[in-house]
Amino acid sequence: MRLLTVAHGTRTTAGNLVAAETTALAGDRLGWPATTSYVELCAPLLADAAAAVTEPTVVVPLLLSTGYHLRQDLPRAVAAAPRGLVRLGSGLGPSPLLAAAQVDRLRAAGATPGQPVVMVAAGSTDPLAAADLEGAAALLARAWGGPVRLATLSGRGERLARVVRTGDAVSSYLMATGHFARTARHDALAAGASVVADVLGPHPLVVDLVCARARALASSPVPA
């Protein structure tokens, strides 16, 4: 069995390396060969990686919520793979493991128990993405032990400037550094946040989640 992950892709090299590191850690833990691919802006693209598949492969998207990429781009790209060799998974979130990783990032950034939190996500125009983000915010509230308000950087939802209050901590519900992460930090601090947590990145709990998704896919039926 082979692991193939797919991240969004960014023009920021460090952001693309997050996906590569997460994939390598998951592959080592699984004991499987592992390859990273991207939707856009970085090679290899998923369509090219899928077309080159020669053995049973599971595709784990390193995407946090439902949206156009998950519902349209990824299935179309995987269709280029040899028939019967590839199983495509869903996005990583919402998940209690991601919420626990967010709590770790908040604490590492200096957030304190009881401090109000705003969770900021990239956002989407897809209503299913909005439901996923609401679910992720609820899981973070449970893990953090306090209320969490939601902001998005694009698509549906309120922007950080309208949601953040002076002294808030901001949890970045983003996989990797890049344009969205830089915008989130800038806008959160400009709105009065005292703490902005780092992106999820290759957190051990994220790696745990990728491995769990990969094992579940490996035991599922191959699409006809």
Side-chain angles (χ1 to χ4, degrees):
M1 185 64 66
R2 175 178 288 273
L3 170 65
L4 175 61
T5 64
V6 54
H8 183 279
T10 172
R11 292 184 177 89
T12 303
T13 300
N16 293 323
L17 290 176
V18 166
E21 183 178 354
T22 302
T23 303
L25 290 168
D28 287 346
R29 191 176 302 178
L30 291 164
W32 301 352
T35 304
T36 311
S37 67
Y38 304 88
V39 177
E40 59 185 4
L41 302 177
C42 186
L45 298 178
L46 174 60
D48 296 331
V53 163
T54 58
E55 61 187 305
T57 298
V58 296
V59 179
V60 177
L62 302 181
L63 304 174
L64 299 178
S65 57
T66 304
Y68 184 84
H69 290 315
L70 274 169
R71 295 206 292 142
Q72 302 291 333
D73 290 338
L74 271 57
R76 188 181 303 120
V78 167
R83 183 178 296 276
L85 287 184
V86 173
R87 301 172 176 90
L88 173 63
S90 59
L92 293 181
S95 166
L97 289 175
L98 294 178
Q102 288 177 267
V103 169
D104 279 353
R105 296 298 194 213
L106 282 165
R107 289 172 176 159
T112 57
Q115 187 171 5
V117 169
V118 173
M119 187 185 96
V120 59
S124 171
T125 57
D126 192 319
L128 295 179
D132 282 351
L133 294 180
E134 292 288 351
L139 288 172
L140 177 57
R142 188 179 308 163
W144 181 246
V148 171
R149 304 189 307 282
L150 176 63
T152 59
L153 298 168
S154 65
R156 294 170 177 259
E158 297 285 350
R159 304 297 181 252
L160 283 163
R162 294 179 60 88
V163 178
V164 172
R165 301 167 188 162
T166 301
D168 283 348
V170 172
S171 174
S172 300
Y173 193 63
L174 302 165
M175 270 298 297
T177 189
H179 171 72
F180 276 140
R182 292 190 295 271
T183 299
R185 176 169 292 277
H186 175 273
D187 291 357
L189 293 174
S194 62
V195 170
V196 181
D198 199 2
V199 297
L200 287 162
H203 190 285
L205 291 173
V206 175
V207 177
D208 286 348
L209 181 56
V210 172
C211 290
R213 293 296 176 82
R215 290 189 185 102
L217 281 169
S219 63
S220 66
V222 178

